[in-house]
Amino acid sequence: QKTAYEIVSRDWSSDVCSSDLGRIRRGRSSGAGDRCAEGSPHQGVPHALPHARYEEVAAVASLGGGSSPDLLVVGGGVWGTWTALWARRLGATVTLLEANAPGHAKSTSGDHSRIIRHAHGTDDLLAGWAQRSLAAWLDVESLTGASIFVPTGVAWCVSDEGVWERESEVRLRAANIPVERLTPDEALKRWPSMSPARLKSVLFEPTAGFLRAGDGVRAAARALADEGGAIVRGMATATA
């Protein structure tokens, strides 16, 4: 059953993706284990968005002028903007609806920086997603000329048994993701300001770093517009 949404052109003081999700989401409750439906070009593949929030983009929009995109994405944060961009690249007509602008300062994903790393303990799925995510950010960086990823590396300081770090290291090495295990002396030579107190070792990911989060979302939105997607400022309320 299709749900129509009326687009209202006025500002929302809060992020559509977070605070108003309960009002606009329709359909079944889904989890990260769900897979694409039979007959889909991605049949059997896990959904790309590991979050129940992906349902907010699964509505059909009524734009009032008689034209309806294949997909209306409500909320121009990192989830919404990337969902819109990938849907457009798969051939769908897409409208991204955002109360302010993608990557604005008040959005939950529009801050200055976010760490991107591959270490996730025993979770193989997240390590793979991190690889794919970083590749996608680098692609948008190349396409738009924006400075998004800063390859600072990420150092995990181990002061206890280090079970999480050990599990992460095993999986990173198995996936051929660069990783180093440093002794306290090696770590102090590399980072002299580091305190040696209780330090047992350091797990270092040289290819990790941080994303300029707001800049990245804005760059992805520019790519969406350049590739034929529509970005509309407004809000959505369910009308049927």
Side-chain angles (χ1 to χ4, degrees):
Q1 180 179 355
K2 295 183 179 180
T3 301
Y5 286 87
E6 175 188 0
I7 293 180
V8 182
S9 296
R10 70 168 183 261
D11 289 347
W12 245 351
S13 61
S14 58
D15 185 23
V16 176
C17 285
S18 53
S19 61
D20 284 82
L21 177 59
R23 284 204 303 129
I24 65 174
R25 193 168 64 192
R26 293 292 183 271
R28 61 189 178 83
S29 176
S30 303
D34 288 332
R35 296 177 179 270
C36 297
E38 184 177 353
S40 162
H42 305 289
Q43 178 179 334
V45 177
H47 284 292
L49 302 183
H51 198 292
R53 189 180 288 176
Y54 82 80
E55 287 184 9
E56 75 191 80
V57 304
V60 176
S62 174
L63 298 182
S67 61
S68 296
D70 296 324
L71 183 68
L72 170 67
V73 180
V74 181
V78 64
W79 293 99
T81 302
W82 272 104
T83 297
L85 179 56
W86 279 115
R88 181 66 195 127
R89 288 176 171 177
L90 289 170
T93 57
V94 179
T95 294
L96 175 63
L97 181 67
E98 166 56 47
N100 294 284
H104 69 92
K106 293 182 179 180
S107 68
T108 55
S109 50
D111 207 346
H112 294 296
S113 63
R114 290 286 188 274
I115 292 175
I116 185 165
R117 38 85 177 198
H118 303 96
H120 285 90
T122 59
D123 198 323
D124 298 298
L125 191 59
L126 289 181
W129 275 342
Q131 283 184 293
R132 292 163 57 190
S133 174
L134 180 54
W137 284 116
L138 293 174
D139 178 61
V140 165
E141 187 176 63
S142 176
L143 286 173
T144 63
S147 176
I148 300 173
F149 175 63
V150 183
T152 57
V154 170
W156 302 95
C157 297
V158 182
S159 60
D160 52 18
E161 295 302 316
V163 174
W164 184 90
E165 290 83 3
R166 183 166 61 250
E167 296 287 358
S168 296
E169 182 179 4
V170 168
R171 284 157 180 78
L172 294 183
R173 294 191 185 281
N176 293 318
I177 298 173
V179 63
E180 303 174 33
R181 176 71 74 161
L182 306 176
T183 66
D185 288 342
E186 291 170 333
L188 290 173
K189 288 179 181 178
R190 187 171 298 189
W191 303 290
S193 61
M194 180 179 289
S195 171
R198 298 177 58 199
L199 185 65
K200 293 185 176 180
S201 67
V202 172
L203 185 69
F204 182 60
E205 295 184 62
T207 57
F210 72 86
L211 298 169
R212 303 185 192 279
D215 290 343
V217 174
R218 288 186 286 272
R222 289 198 300 275
L224 171 64
D226 289 344
E227 296 178 30
I231 301 175
V232 176
R233 184 168 180 174
M235 61 174 285
T237 55
T239 59

